[in-house]
Amino acid sequence: ENKRIPSWVYQSPRSVQEAFIDGYIAADVGEMGMSSSNSKTESGRIECCNEMLTRDFKELFNRLGWDSGLVVD
């Protein structure tokens, strides 16, 4: 419940940010049809019960120029 994206991720190069997202998906989410390397052609979603972590991912996606949807309570 206290999981957050570390501040160093936001300050890292794009390739590190994308690798962080890929690693999270592989470790916590499993296969959801999404890969940062193909973000222009594939879509998917990240679901988690931690609202702050979800908002962190939305912020990171926005910084990368990726579309991101709503955060639903």
Side-chain angles (χ1 to χ4, degrees), residues 31-50:
E31 294 184 34
M32 298 192 72
M34 179 178 173
S35 170
S36 63
S37 60
N38 295 323
S39 62
K40 300 277 188 223
T41 59
E42 295 186 32
S43 64
R45 64 190 207 190
I46 292 177
E47 293 182 29
C48 69
C49 59
N50 181 330

Side-chain angles (χ1 to χ4, degrees), residues 1 3-4 11 22 28 30 40 44 51 57 61 63:
E1 295 179 25
K3 288 183 187 177
R4 299 291 304 265
Q11 299 164 5
D22 285 342
D28 272 5
K40 300 277 188 223
E51 182 180 348
F57 272 107
F61 283 19
R63 287 178 183 229

Side-chain angles (χ1 to χ4, degrees), residues 8 10 13 15 26 28 42 53 61:
W8 62 263
Y10 297 106
S15 61
D28 272 5
E42 295 186 32
L53 182 59
F61 283 19

